[in-house]
Amino acid sequence: MMLQGDKIVKQYNHKGGLINALDHVSFTVEKGDFVTVTGPSGSGKSTLLLSLFGLIRLSSGTVIFDGKRIDDVSDRHLTDIRKKSVGYILQHFALIPYLTTLQNVMMPLALEKIPGTEQLKRAAEILDYVGLSDRMQHLPRELSAGQQQRVAIARSIVHRPQIIMADEPTGNLDPTLSLEILEFLKKINRENKITIMMVTHSPVAAEYGTMKLHLNEGKIVNL
Amino acid sequence: MTISKLVLIELWKRKSQLITGLLAITLGISVIVAIQSVSIVSEQNVARNLDNLGANILVLPQGASIDDYYTSDIDAPTLPMDYVERILTSTIAGVDNMSPKLTRRVKVGNQSVVLTGILPKSEIASKPLWQSSGLLGTALKTACAPNQSANESHGLEDPKLKRKAIDTLYSNDCLAGSQVAQRLKLSANSKVTIMGKEFKVVKILAETGTVDDDRIFANLKDVQKLLKLENQVSAIEIMGCCNAISEGLLGQLRNILPDTRITTIGQIVSTQIETNQLMKKVTLIMLVIIFFVGGISIGNFIWANVNERKREIGILRMMGAERSVIYKMFLLKAIILGIAGGILGFLLGTLAGVVLGPYLAGILVKPVYLYLLWSVLLSVSISLAGSLIPTYLAAKFDPHNNLQED
């Protein structure tokens, strides 16, 4: 078991009342799974994705990652888990605009204080893997949307995480580029045995999942 | 890639913002440096002018009053000449010049004049108004100059030697004050007989408007012999640094000269101290204003930068950057801005002082290189102080909310 959520609840205050963004959500993800999370807008998909490793604090429930409970650990500990074991891919790519492709990909390694030469070597390898070795010195604004998302994917795997959390990674791309990215994620999942948890609106993208979760009004429902 | 490199890249890639950020701190520091550069020269000038007022400490025999000293009565008490040596051989700081004097009212013909025995070089040094007579031939020492180098520029490396009186007024020579010269119809190279001894008048001193105008100055040893008061003096005039006086110079002198009366010439000392304190207060007020204005400007700049980079902060936190990384990002930026602002502010302020000083204040301003260090330290302090709150708030940002922004 790689990741388990048990009776996860996330409540928000809204106009004096409480709204359940996540309402007793439970699931289990095994190592190497490609999990897709689908559901209508506002169903709690992104909240689930971002809350599992502490980017949003849960109201209640238990999260176990790699055999250890992580919902009650300190912010510092969760930060350390994200740094070493989790890669994120977001809809809007989330690249640092003034860094080159290469520097963006090196950032997770810099946070781990890996030596510069090793950073360079690994980032260059990964950029070659995602087909961007000829764009290393380009700034994000000089790349197409598909290329920017590939940089984001490279950044998410350069530190060899155990799990990738992808929030609508194809949401900003046309169908052709979307398929390209999805194939890429599938390749990473299969070749590197990295677990992927992907939130998507797209039924096509959802088909890539080996495990499918569907959320509606904060609850997991059977399709 | 390191966080430091990230900061440098961000600064370099956003040059226009860098210039805006630097502008506030640079202008603030340059104003301080310019004011300080001009005011230090002004303080030296003021100190020089204050020193022109003459000696500010009098060592009198026990029981003597200042009136005794000025009226120079025949029975006025004296003190041993050895006391000069005591001061010379002590390690007391702040005694810049000494002038032992023996003073008596005597008759010259039918005129009453005050005969004063002096050790001439120190006498002249402690009476800068006489400098115009050209007897000493060296620049005036400024007892209250704010920077010690002004006092060290005479090539006299031994601090005791610097204070030693040197006998250059020859036996049988004398100097006449302007009033007494007029009354006795004396001129340079004329002769005057005092108590049966003939003296050659080597110079008529310029009018000072003080009691000295009514005095004849001769070699102390001659006067002691004439008055049969060998190895005795009426008083020791001291030009003491006014800062040293306020810090206890009088007490130290009293310790080594217990059976004397040591007094300050109050008005001179208080004027010197008040003037110096006023200059310090003006500088301090400017410093406080610039600290706050500079700090707020930098704080505003960093806060704008934090807001602009909310999403970046969210991305870094998402990737596993600790809050300390966010602190490092913004505080390092503040330090770099502080160092650059300090150096540029020093250069700009010094240039302004050097160029504008002669025009606006009529004084020649020279670069004070020590201010470079102070400029950088002050600038970094202002920059860090102004950046603390925005950086604290940046580190507290909720990463999730900032990731949502686009």
Side-chain angles (χ1 to χ4, degrees):
Chain A
M1 179 189 70
M2 150 113 342
L3 180 67
Q4 186 180 49
D6 186 33
K7 294 175 188 157
I8 291 172
V9 175
K10 177 62 189 175
Q11 292 179 318
Y12 288 111
N13 279 314
H14 184 69
K15 293 182 180 172
L18 284 175
I19 291 177
N20 284 336
L22 295 173
D23 190 359
H24 295 85
V25 172
S26 299
F27 62 89
T28 301
V29 176
E30 298 296 337
K31 184 171 170 59
D33 277 352
F34 192 139
V35 185
T36 55
V37 184
T38 55
S41 293
S43 59
K45 306 184 296 292
S46 294
T47 303
L48 175 67
L49 195 86
L50 297 174
S51 64
L52 292 173
F53 291 97
L55 289 172
I56 298 173
R57 277 290 183 177
L58 292 173
S59 304
S60 67
T62 307
V63 179
I64 295 170
F65 174 66
D66 205 18
K68 287 173 192 153
R69 189 171 168 183
I70 60 167
D71 57 278
D72 58 352
V73 300
S74 66
D75 181 65
R76 197 183 183 88
H77 192 170
L78 278 169
T79 302
D80 199 49
I81 292 170
R82 286 201 300 272
K83 182 164 62 182
K84 289 175 179 160
S85 307
V86 186
Y88 283 93
I89 304 168
L90 304 183
Q91 183 178 354
H92 298 290
F93 322 129
L95 300 176
I96 297 176
Y98 53 84
L99 296 184
T100 62
T101 298
L102 185 68
Q103 289 165 337
N104 262 294
V105 176
M106 285 160 80
M107 269 318 290
L109 304 176
L111 292 174
E112 282 197 76
K113 295 191 172 68
I114 287 170
T117 47
E118 176 71 8
Q119 285 183 31
L120 202 63
K121 182 171 164 276
R122 279 167 64 174
E125 278 172 11
I126 293 292
L127 281 169
D128 189 41
Y129 181 70
V130 300
L132 287 174
S133 53
D134 58 341
R135 294 285 187 276
M136 285 191 199
Q137 300 306 325
H138 286 62
L139 291 172
R141 66 168 183 270
E142 296 165 342
L143 301 175
S144 68
Q147 286 171 329
Q148 286 188 55
Q149 196 58 300
R150 277 193 280 160
V151 176
I153 291 170
R155 186 183 64 186
S156 74
I157 58 174
V158 72
H159 57 305
R160 297 164 189 161
Q162 294 183 60
I163 187 166
I164 290 175
M165 311 296 272
D167 189 7
E168 306 260 17
T170 58
N172 256 16
L173 305 176
D174 62 41
T176 314
L177 282 176
S178 294
L179 280 177
E180 185 189 311
I181 295 299
L182 288 168
E183 285 299 323
F184 222 97
L185 290 173
K186 190 172 159 186
K187 185 180 165 191
I188 290 165
N189 174 245
R190 288 195 180 156
E191 288 180 1
N192 302 289
K193 303 282 179 238
I194 296 176
T195 308
I196 295 177
M197 193 167 192
M198 179 176 75
V199 165
T200 182
H201 267 112
S202 157
V204 177
E207 286 307 309
Y208 279 77
T210 55
M211 176 188 168
K212 293 167 187 160
L213 297 175
H214 188 79
L215 283 173
N216 194 15
E217 294 181 348
K219 291 179 182 167
I220 289 188
V221 290
N222 292 320
L223 288 173
Chain B
M1 192 71 192
T2 59
I3 297 304
S4 308
K5 195 172 173 189
L6 179 85
V7 172
L8 290 173
I9 294 170
E10 197 264 339
L11 277 168
W12 183 246
K13 291 279 171 72
R14 293 172 170 163
K15 290 186 203 74
S16 59
Q17 290 179 6
L18 171 68
I19 292 165
T20 312
L22 268 180
L23 202 62
I25 194 85
T26 301
L27 288 178
I29 295 296
S30 64
V31 168
I32 294 179
V33 171
I35 288 173
Q36 269 297 102
S37 298
V38 171
S39 70
I40 195 164
V41 179
S42 304
E43 282 180 48
Q44 283 169 358
N45 285 346
V46 167
R48 197 167 281 124
N49 291 334
L50 289 171
D51 280 358
N52 283 345
L53 297 173
N56 49 18
I57 299 172
L58 269 182
V59 180
L60 297 167
Q62 189 77 278
S65 66
I66 293 176
D67 284 348
D68 292 335
Y69 172 65
Y70 283 115
T71 54
S72 311
D73 285 341
I74 195 78
D75 298 325
T78 57
L79 50 83
M81 180 77 176
D82 301 346
Y83 285 17
V84 174
E85 273 307 308
R86 279 200 207 174
I87 302 171
L88 288 175
T89 53
S90 75
T91 52
I92 297 174
V95 176
D96 287 335
N97 266 304
M98 275 195 304
S99 176
K101 287 181 175 176
L102 179 61
T103 302
R104 283 289 183 275
R105 191 165 285 280
V106 296
K107 285 275 182 188
V108 176
N110 59 351
Q111 298 279 337
S112 172
V113 297
V114 176
L115 175 65
T116 301
I118 58 168
L119 289 174
K121 198 160 188 175
S122 64
E123 176 68 20
I124 290 163
S126 68
K127 289 290 181 192
L129 287 172
W130 294 358
Q131 294 287 311
S132 56
S133 303
L135 290 171
L136 189 58
T138 56
L140 166 69
K141 290 203 273 186
T142 50
C144 288
N147 123 12
Q148 194 57 28
S149 64
N151 284 341
E152 305 285 3
S153 60
H154 305 283
L156 297 169
E157 289 177 6
D158 179 356
K160 286 176 183 167
L161 181 66
K162 191 169 72 177
R163 293 190 250 144
K164 263 186 183 163
I166 301 165
D167 191 349
T168 55
L169 184 57
Y170 296 113
S171 185
N172 304 326
D173 284 351
C174 73
L175 306 167
S178 59
Q179 293 277 332
V180 79
Q182 209 170 9
R183 279 198 289 125
L184 299 177
K185 295 185 175 51
L186 299 176
S187 58
N189 298 319
S190 63
K191 306 279 183 185
V192 60
T193 302
I194 306 169
M195 297 177 75
K197 183 176 171 68
E198 190 177 73
F199 287 86
K200 179 187 168 192
V201 180
V202 292
K203 200 158 187 96
I204 307 297
L205 298 169
E207 189 168 346
T208 63
T210 67
V211 290
D212 294 335
D213 292 342
D214 204 32
R215 291 181 179 202
I216 290 175
F217 296 89
N219 187 288
L220 179 62
K221 286 174 186 165
D222 282 352
V223 175
Q224 286 171 333
K225 271 186 197 166
L226 268 182
L227 298 172
K228 296 186 174 56
L229 288 168
E230 290 192 35
N231 203 32
Q232 293 293 306
V233 292
S234 309
I236 303 168
E237 284 187 358
I238 293 176
M239 188 187 288
C241 171
C242 53
N243 292 333
I245 294 172
S246 64
E247 285 160 14
L249 174 61
L250 295 190
Q252 291 174 302
L253 285 170
R254 282 182 189 121
N255 285 342
I256 59 165
L257 306 172
D259 52 347
T260 57
R261 179 163 181 250
I262 299 173
T263 181
T264 56
I265 301 177
Q267 206 170 355
I268 294 175
V269 172
S270 61
T271 306
Q272 288 171 332
I273 291 174
E274 279 168 19
T275 308
N276 279 359
Q277 284 176 345
L278 182 67
M279 299 291 264
K280 280 179 187 160
K281 275 181 195 165
V282 169
T283 307
L284 189 68
I285 289 167
M286 289 302 297
L287 259 177
V288 170
I289 292 171
I290 286 169
F291 194 88
F292 277 101
V293 173
I296 290 167
S297 302
I298 282 287
N300 194 38
F301 169 75
I302 295 285
W303 180 239
N305 191 244
V306 163
N307 273 302
E308 190 187 14
R309 297 170 70 189
K310 269 183 174 178
R311 189 166 153 74
E312 184 188 327
I313 295 166
I315 294 167
L316 287 168
R317 297 279 287 134
M318 175 190 81
M319 287 196 290
E322 296 93 351
R323 290 184 203 278
S324 61
V325 170
I326 309 301
Y327 272 105
K328 188 175 176 184
M329 271 170 59
F330 288 99
L331 293 183
L332 189 61
K333 182 170 185 168
I335 290 171
I336 292 169
L337 281 175
I339 292 171
I343 293 170
L344 288 174
F346 167 78
L347 294 175
L348 199 64
T350 300
L351 188 69
V354 169
V355 172
L356 298 177
Y359 291 105
L360 299 181
I363 50 176
L364 190 65
V365 177
K366 287 182 182 170
V368 183
Y369 295 106
L370 183 67
Y371 287 171
L372 177 60
L373 177 68
W374 287 112
S375 298
V376 171
L377 285 176
L378 182 67
S379 177
V380 169
S381 306
I382 292 172
S383 194
L384 278 177
S387 307
L388 277 177
I389 294 174
T391 305
Y392 171 76
L393 294 173
K396 293 267 285 182
F397 276 159
D398 180 354
H400 160 243
N401 284 338
N402 294 316
L403 283 171
Q404 300 284 320
E405 285 185 21
D406 202 8

